[in-house]
Amino acid sequence: KMPKVSEVTTKADTKPKSMHRAKIWSDVVENLYRFQQAGYRDEVEYKQVKQVDQVECWPETGFVKKLQRKDNTFYYYNRQRECEDKDVRKVKIYVY
């Protein structure tokens, strides 16, 4: 399951304090990979831009199911892992 984004980070002007890259794959890294593929930093930015409370996730895995890009096209994701080992280091983890 994705950790819940706290109320503090849903303010419109929230900016990350720092960023580091993922070294090993995890559920959190998988979901960040999906947000970043669709053009967002993470769930926080997606919720700010799209003005949504909930992101659609697969009930079995908790991974993001679909995301709407800024140009309004949709990305649909599989239940299984999509972020391959070679892509893990490309994922940016933002700290608020």
Side-chain angles (χ1 to χ4, degrees), residues 33-71:
Y33 173 77
R34 293 172 186 217
F35 282 111
Q36 289 167 20
Q37 262 198 324
Y40 301 94
R41 276 193 313 257
D42 50 24
E43 187 176 357
V44 176
E45 186 188 29
Y46 184 77
K47 287 180 174 180
Q48 287 171 2
V49 172
K50 288 298 169 191
Q51 299 291 301
V52 293
D53 296 327
Q54 230 22 61
V55 178
E56 228 180 294
C57 294
W58 290 104
E60 307 87 359
T61 59
F63 295 151
V64 173
K65 188 175 187 177
K66 85 174 184 194
L67 292 173
Q68 191 174 8
R69 289 186 356 188
K70 292 174 184 168
D71 64 3

Side-chain angles (χ1 to χ4, degrees), residues 72-87:
N72 291 330
T73 57
F74 283 92
Y75 273 0
Y76 294 91
Y77 298 101
N78 296 324
R79 285 181 179 83
Q80 295 84 21
R81 172 179 173 174
E82 289 194 10
C83 179
E84 296 177 31
D85 285 333
K86 67 179 172 66
D87 296 325

Side-chain angles (χ1 to χ4, degrees), residues 26-39:
S26 69
D27 290 4
V28 173
V29 169
E30 177 67 37
N31 278 330
L32 285 170
Y33 173 77
R34 293 172 186 217
F35 282 111
Q36 289 167 20
Q37 262 198 324

Side-chain angles (χ1 to χ4, degrees), residues 9 11-18 41-42 44-45 48 94-96:
T9 58
K11 299 213 174 7
D13 58 350
T14 304
K15 297 272 185 280
K17 290 186 182 76
S18 65
R41 276 193 313 257
D42 50 24
V44 176
E45 186 188 29
Q48 287 171 2
Y94 292 92
V95 181
Y96 291 90

